[in-house]
Amino acid sequence: MESVDEHLVRRLASLSPASPGGAVDVEPDLLLRYFDAQLQARHLDLALRWLQSQREGFYTIGSSGHESNAAVALALRPTDPALLHYRSGGFYAARAGQVPGSTPITDVLHSAAASTRDPISGGRHKVFGHRALSIIPQTSTIASHLPRAMGLAFALGRSAAPTPFPTDAVVVCSFGDASLNHSTAAGALNAVGYSVHQGLPMPLLLVCEDNAIGISTRTPRGWVRQVLSSLPGFEYAHADGTDPGHLLTTAAEVAAAVRTRRRPVVLHLETVRFMGHAGSDAELAYRSHSEIIADYARDPILATASALARHGILTPAESLDRYENTRKLVMDEARSLIGTVRRLSDPPAVTAPLTERHVADVRAASLRVGPPDAAATPATTGRAAAFGGRPPETRGPLTLAQSINAALHDALLTWPNAQVFGEDVARKGGVYGVTRGLRKAFGGSRVFDTLLDEQSILGLALGGALAGTLPIPEIQYLAYLHNAEDQLRGEAGSLRFFSNGQYRNGMVVRIAGLAYQKGFGGHFHNDNSVAVLRDIPGLALAVASHPGSAPALLRQCLALAEREGRVCVFLEPIALYHTRDLHTDGDGRWLARYAEPADWTEAPLGSVRTVREGADLTIVTFGNGVPMSLRVAEALAHDGAQAGVVDLQWLAPLPVDSLRTALGNAERILVVDETRASGSVSDAVVAALTDAHFPGPLARVNSLDSYIPLGPAADQVLLSEAQILHAARTLLQPG
């Protein structure tokens, strides 16, 4: 079968020359720049397959047939943030052509070769991205970048604070026709329309590149147009990739419309896909020979060459020469790469500085030891007013919910770019009252309710962080996170890694969770598993337990997000929100006074907290396990045994060094873990202590591997104080 390259060369050679008097429907220089970007993208695809054959390339999902997306780049400015589809070679080449000194051919070749000279990821992944070109790298699952694009457009549309982008910037986001069917895309598109319906600015240009097939599954004829043309809040535009004049004009019109009206437009761009989904894809397994050959006539490069000839800008021979010259340029660069490329796996002696930095990220380096550069304190002006005239330090002992509420007030005073948002957090003040009063004190631009969609909530955080805000989104219940966990794993957590630190999206995601909630529950309100959070590289997971320590812990998370761009999760045990007593009714021993700013201290980040000293046994725990373990320690004291209690506070990265120091010469250790036995926190704690060659008896207790049922039946699966006490007494027995 004739290859797409052979067919294109033959058709270019047989093109008709210019017809006299042909009207030029687009500027000749623009059409030439468009053609050159298309040629670069096509020959880069061919070069990547050649590099793979030489065992020097590792990525072959190409842009062939989609080169018409170069028209979108030419209609925009290089300062407009772009979140791109993986078939965006034409866009990348065209945008690079707008910035003097750019080297798109070198960039893409080194990216596919996993070279440390890749300008965005430093060899971590083949991805279209470049800080100087405002192209934000996307490496995650299908359509997962759409919520971030929505969030960035939302932030640029309403932010009063300085952002890294111009005030009239347009956010562009491209995706394929198959991606349109993903629930993540549906959620993001709905969130855009929801915002527009409320009159909010949304400077977003979405480009659906429709090649009518997703890997091997055909998209039903007419489906994409039906969906896109009926999206609420969007203006719809259509263009054919084989009509360069109309496409370039349409792209310019829709870009200008978004920029001036600050309203979203979706451009339905019809394309074609050549050479299968990727290099390993046997396209003949699901498409006939005649179908593949028929598509060759829809080659966008051929269409541009025809337009150039028709308008007398380039003769067919000149277009063919340009094609061959670009081939030589790209292949010469590809050949020169072989034998010179350096990768992360190369010996440290060759690339020591880069390697050290990469390894630090790969290992998700432990939280910084020692205090931050300076203590973050709230602005004194207006603090009393923000608290309604009664600062929290004057109110007496507070519950956990009250202390977190006070800390959020102070956070919004301390960080003017901070925003609190989520379901029911503003007018209602949260399901449990934790955000009560924030909207009244700081206004609806900084504290606002969202639609009921966790993907969109996290998308607002992802986009807002890129725009310069410090997002504090709330996920109402831990179980609800699973609807959107890839927004943390694939988008938030990966950005700093896959951009080699050039982009970051620091945020503090507050989540109400864990179990033991009485009178209201079932699985979706008592989820006791944090495994999915602990498994995300680089994510910092803190768990509050006591009103005396929670504010400082929250401030530490905010400092990590602001200063290091770290993605943090602050987990708040629902059952402890309004707890007042520890041992007996009315003892008030689970309350604490709120420290005024002058008394704030910053303990080392990533440190554990020794709650109770005890020489015979040390209980290591967190969250609800802290008060449970303290009650068990009191019972053991009646037995004549002295038990200490250590609160981990940080579950990821696990504060191993601090824990070893806190344990000192502990004789016996019991790990009390309220999460399920499989994939539990205690797995990691026991492994760390074993690796440290702890010499004494070591045991753990967990909840059962079960969903949590409603009502009293929950007691059958959750870890109980009786079980903790039994395990402790067993561990204390001689021999």
Side-chain angles (χ1 to χ4, degrees):
M1 181 174 71
E2 186 180 38
S3 72
V4 64
D5 184 43
E6 293 167 336
H7 181 274
L8 180 57
V9 170
R10 180 170 58 80
R11 291 292 297 270
L12 285 173
S14 63
L15 279 177
S16 300
S19 302
V24 180
D25 51 3
V26 67
E27 288 293 325
D29 178 67
L30 178 62
L31 196 59
L32 282 171
R33 286 188 287 132
Y34 177 58
F35 189 50
D36 286 340
Q38 289 181 304
L39 296 180
Q40 282 188 21
R42 177 64 58 85
H43 284 302
L44 279 167
D45 279 1
L46 298 171
L48 298 191
R49 292 182 179 233
W50 178 79
L51 282 173
Q52 186 187 51
S53 72
Q54 304 299 306
R55 299 186 179 181
E56 292 284 353
F58 306 96
Y59 194 92
T60 55
I61 295 181
S63 304
S64 294
H66 281 245
E67 292 91 353
S68 50
N69 57 38
V72 179
L74 293 172
L76 295 167
R77 301 169 184 166
T79 52
D80 291 326
L83 300 91
L84 300 177
H85 187 228
Y86 47 52
R87 299 195 190 280
S88 297
F91 184 106
Y92 189 88
R95 174 156 287 192
Q98 296 171 317
V99 179
S102 296
T103 55
I105 295 172
T106 301
D107 295 349
V108 174
L109 289 173
H110 279 276
S111 183
S115 165
T116 56
R117 286 182 59 195
D118 165 27
I120 188 65
S121 79
R124 292 168 170 86
H125 201 281
K126 161 62 175 70
V127 59
F128 290 114
H130 200 296
R131 181 76 191 217
L133 304 179
S134 301
I135 300 176
I136 300 154
Q138 303 302 314
T139 63
S140 189
T141 52
I142 298 300
S144 67
H145 60 306
L146 267 68
R148 185 198 291 274
M150 175 275 299
L152 181 53
F154 179 88
L156 294 182
R158 69 201 299 265
S159 177
T163 77
F165 306 104
T167 55
D168 66 344
V170 168
V171 179
V172 60
C173 176
S174 58
F175 57 99
D177 53 289
S179 299
L180 179 64
N181 301 305
H182 200 282
S183 61
T184 306
L189 295 172
N190 178 75
V192 173
Y194 183 91
S195 300
V196 173
H197 183 73
Q198 298 178 82
L200 298 174
M202 187 63 69
L204 176 63
L205 173 58
L206 291 179
V207 183
C208 181
E209 299 180 19
D210 180 9
N211 62 28
I213 193 168
I215 305 181
S216 66
T217 303
R218 288 173 172 80
T219 299
R221 187 181 301 274
W223 172 248
V224 175
R225 180 185 291 269
Q226 179 177 325
V227 173
L228 295 180
S229 62
S230 60
L231 289 174
F234 280 87
E235 179 183 333
Y236 171 82
H238 174 269
D240 188 335
T242 62
D243 186 348
H246 179 260
L247 170 57
L248 287 163
T249 300
T250 300
E253 290 173 349
V254 297
V258 177
R259 195 178 308 280
T260 56
R261 300 175 200 161
R262 315 308 281 167
R263 290 175 62 87
V265 175
V266 59
L267 174 61
H268 179 191
L269 176 57
E270 288 197 52
T271 64
V272 63
R273 189 190 74 186
F274 292 144
M275 297 190 285
H277 174 69
S280 58
D281 181 26
E283 195 173 16
L284 281 171
Y286 53 87
R287 298 187 73 201
S288 69
H289 178 277
S290 59
E291 284 180 304
I292 296 171
I293 294 298
D295 272 350
Y296 287 174
R298 299 174 56 208
D299 195 320
I301 294 178
L302 181 63
T304 306
S306 297
L308 289 165
R310 186 168 62 252
H311 299 308
I313 300 171
L314 286 183
T315 67
E318 288 171 331
S319 289
L320 185 57
D321 285 345
R322 218 173 181 104
Y323 184 85
E324 294 297 345
N325 289 338
T326 305
R327 183 204 300 272
K328 183 178 186 305
L329 180 68
V330 172
M331 287 306 300
D332 284 350
E333 183 75 19
R335 291 187 181 95
S336 70
L337 177 149
I338 294 180
T340 64
V341 68
R342 294 287 177 245
R343 301 191 176 96
L344 300 184
S345 58
D346 289 341
V350 176
T351 56
L354 281 173
T355 302
E356 289 168 6
R357 186 167 71 252
H358 296 323
V359 170
D361 274 356
V362 170
R363 292 176 178 171
S366 297
L367 299 171
R368 183 190 295 168
V369 177
D373 300 334
T377 56
T380 55
T381 304
R383 184 168 185 268
F387 284 106
R390 294 185 61 207
E393 58 268 23
T394 67
R395 297 181 184 179
L398 305 180
T399 63
L400 179 63
Q402 292 169 333
S403 69
I404 294 174
N405 176 272
L408 288 170
H409 274 81
D410 273 329
L412 289 167
L413 287 164
T414 303
W415 288 279
N417 60 332
Q419 294 179 328
V420 173
F421 52 89
E423 301 170 10
D424 303 310
V425 303
R427 293 186 183 275
K428 183 177 180 178
V431 174
Y432 299 95
V434 180
T435 56
R436 188 171 296 149
L438 291 177
R439 184 178 186 275
K440 181 179 180 181
F442 298 97
S445 65
R446 299 190 64 197
V447 182
F448 53 91
D449 291 318
T450 66
L451 70 175
L452 274 64
D453 176 29
E454 287 73 25
Q455 288 187 137
S456 293
I457 292 170
L458 293 177
L460 289 172
L462 289 162
L466 286 176
T469 69
L470 176 57
I472 312 175
E474 177 184 297
I475 300 297
Q476 199 167 81
Y477 289 100
L478 178 58
Y480 295 1
L481 174 67
H482 304 304
N483 297 325
E485 60 194 36
D486 186 57
Q487 291 299 300
L488 289 181
R489 171 184 295 277
E491 291 292 325
S494 68
L495 181 63
R496 189 170 68 165
F497 179 81
F498 285 117
S499 69
N500 197 13
Q502 297 175 75
Y503 284 103
R504 56 188 216 169
N505 43 209
M507 65 184 69
V508 179
V509 185
R510 294 179 45 252
I511 304 178
L514 300 176
Y516 301 101
Q517 191 180 179
K518 301 297 183 184
F520 178 65
H523 165 64
F524 285 106
H525 303 101
N526 276 294
D527 191 355
N528 66 336
S529 175
V530 296
V532 69
L533 291 168
R534 294 195 65 255
D535 190 45
I536 299 174
L539 182 142
L541 171 59
V543 182
S545 63
H546 190 268
S549 57
L553 198 60
L554 179 57
R555 286 193 291 270
Q556 289 169 342
C557 286
L558 289 163
L560 278 173
E562 175 72 5
R563 298 167 187 169
E564 299 184 15
R566 188 71 72 101
V567 178
C568 301
V569 172
F570 188 71
L571 186 59
E572 303 166 9
I574 298 171
L576 298 180
Y577 269 150
H578 304 300
T579 297
R580 305 178 68 86
D581 306 320
L582 177 60
H583 295 295
T584 59
D585 290 346
D587 69 12
R589 293 185 61 181
W590 211 251
L591 301 173
R593 290 190 174 275
Y594 188 84
E596 62 180 309
D599 294 334
W600 288 0
T601 58
E602 295 202 36
L605 297 174
S607 63
V608 302
R609 181 173 68 101
T610 299
V611 183
R612 177 179 175 134
E613 301 283 355
D616 299 320
L617 169 70
T618 301
I619 300 175
V620 178
T621 188
F622 61 93
N624 291 292
V626 177
M628 294 169 69
S629 297
L630 286 171
R631 287 189 285 268
V632 166
E634 195 68 18
L636 291 173
H638 290 294
D639 295 348
Q642 297 301 312
V645 178
V646 173
D647 181 2
L648 284 169
Q649 299 193 106
W650 299 92
L651 303 189
L654 199 66
V656 175
D657 292 340
S658 177
L659 177 60
R660 291 172 181 167
T661 300
L663 292 175
N665 296 319
E667 293 188 7
R668 303 170 181 82
I669 297 175
L670 175 64
V671 183
V672 172
D673 182 358
E674 63 184 286
T675 69
R676 304 168 199 165
S678 298
S680 65
V681 176
S682 56
D683 282 349
V685 175
V686 170
L689 295 174
T690 301
D691 289 345
H693 307 292
F694 175 70
L698 173 63
R700 66 171 180 145
V701 283
N702 292 85
S703 295
L704 298 183
D705 287 336
S706 171
Y707 291 101
I708 299 172
L710 188 64
D715 295 336
Q716 302 302 309
V717 303
L718 293 176
L719 178 64
S720 68
E721 289 180 27
Q723 291 170 316
I724 299 171
L725 181 59
H726 175 75
R729 285 172 172 164
T730 301
L731 205 59
L732 286 165
Q733 289 177 358

